[in-house]
Amino acid sequence: NAGVMQNPRHLVRRRGQEARLRCSPMKGHSHVYWYRQLPEEGLKFMVYLQKENIIDESGMPKERFSAEFPKEGPSILRIQQVVRGDSAAYFCASSGGQRNTEAFFGQGTRLTVV
Amino acid sequence: AQSVTQLDSQVPVFEEAPVELRCNYSSSVSVYLFWYVQYPNQGLQLLLKYLSGSTLVKGINGFEAEFNKSQTSFHLRKPSVHISDTAEYFCAVSLVDDKIIFGKGTRLHILP
């Protein structure tokens, strides 16, 4: 799972600022997932993307959150006008897109909103 | 809607004792099942997976899990735990659209 790279590992933002979280999937993987982990709440699905397409964003808050996975470059999770409640660990995972292959996770980005 | 339920949020176990972490899922279609482990301040890594075939699946670090279709369960077991097994364990299912759904996790505390 060391192949999925997330940066930054730690991000501190003041309320109202924007947070941009990056995820480079494993080589050859075209599917990316984003999850949010809050203390004592486990992993919550946010969004599932393939190259240039959002497949499922049912877990994304309706406002301030957006995600993209362009043809070139990493996947980006963007949070606009952050609030204290956005503080969490955000994990990215990638897979080859077939159901019998597992997802490989990055180390996560820990966002702290002050 | 598909879901994954991990009944225990925390499980304390004495070192060298056996442990079982429970996982139940609900799905109207066939699923693939996974157990992941998360050590402190790290990402998740795969312990084992069930795709088809034998219902008893062996994974890394001495863990195994058994798929029970009639009970829609996929419980994780280890016959003798070590301090190094202290972590959070997540059960997950893969759906037909490739989306992976996770349970809320079970924290395993190993007592000396």
Side-chain angles (χ1 to χ4, degrees):
Chain A
N1 62 1
V4 178
M5 303 301 295
Q6 287 188 251
N7 67 82
R9 290 291 308 276
H10 300 274
L11 181 61
V12 179
R13 284 288 178 266
R14 296 186 184 279
R15 281 179 296 171
Q17 291 184 318
E18 178 179 282
R20 289 168 66 89
L21 288 62
R22 295 175 183 77
C23 170
S24 296
M26 283 186 70
K27 187 176 181 180
H29 282 184
S30 58
H31 294 236
V32 165
Y33 311 80
W34 285 94
Y35 295 88
R36 178 163 60 178
Q37 186 175 36
L38 293 165
E40 312 302 326
E41 289 193 22
L43 279 170
K44 289 197 172 180
F45 169 80
M46 298 183 75
V47 63
Y48 167 38
L49 310 105
Q50 296 178 23
K51 284 281 187 182
E52 299 184 279
N53 287 307
I54 296 174
I55 305 303
D56 184 342
E57 56 181 348
S58 58
M60 290 277 273
K62 298 300 180 192
E63 298 177 349
R64 302 189 297 109
F65 285 72
S66 62
E68 62 177 6
F69 188 17
K71 187 177 180 180
E72 302 291 337
S75 175
I76 305 289
L77 178 67
R78 181 185 302 164
I79 311 173
Q80 297 177 302
Q81 300 174 345
V82 296
V83 301
R84 288 223 170 102
D86 296 332
S87 296
Y90 292 83
F91 288 94
C92 168
S94 74
S95 76
Q98 298 174 4
R99 288 185 63 218
N100 63 355
T101 59
E102 67 269 26
F104 292 85
F105 280 79
Q107 296 291 301
T109 294
R110 280 157 181 80
L111 172 65
T112 302
V113 179
V114 297
Chain B
Q2 291 87 355
S3 66
V4 177
T5 302
Q6 292 183 246
L7 295 168
D8 305 302
S9 60
Q10 298 191 57
V11 173
V13 182
F14 285 104
E15 195 171 13
E16 298 184 7
V19 68
E20 178 179 85
L21 305 183
R22 296 179 292 171
C23 173
N24 289 86
Y25 68 93
S26 65
S27 176
S28 57
V29 298
S30 62
V31 295
Y32 294 160
L33 296 155
F34 307 86
W35 274 98
Y36 285 83
V37 60
Q38 184 182 29
Y39 297 105
N41 298 314
Q42 293 189 25
L44 279 70
Q45 56 183 283
L46 184 72
L47 268 181
L48 48 80
K49 61 184 177 183
Y50 171 77
L51 306 178
S52 63
S54 172
T55 57
L56 184 63
V57 180
K58 294 189 182 298
I60 62 171
N61 300 340
F63 284 93
E64 62 181 32
E66 186 158 19
F67 170 58
N68 187 319
K69 188 174 182 179
S70 62
Q71 296 186 4
T72 60
S73 69
F74 191 54
H75 301 331
L76 180 71
R77 303 186 184 99
K78 186 170 182 177
S80 174
V81 297
H82 301 281
I83 287 287
S84 59
D85 293 323
T86 297
E88 189 158 17
Y89 293 80
F90 292 91
C91 181
V93 300
S94 173
L95 308 178
V96 290
D97 59 357
D98 290 328
K99 189 167 76 178
I100 300 175
I101 303 293
F102 286 83
K104 290 194 172 185
T106 299
R107 290 183 186 275
L108 180 59
H109 297 280
I110 308 301
L111 308 172

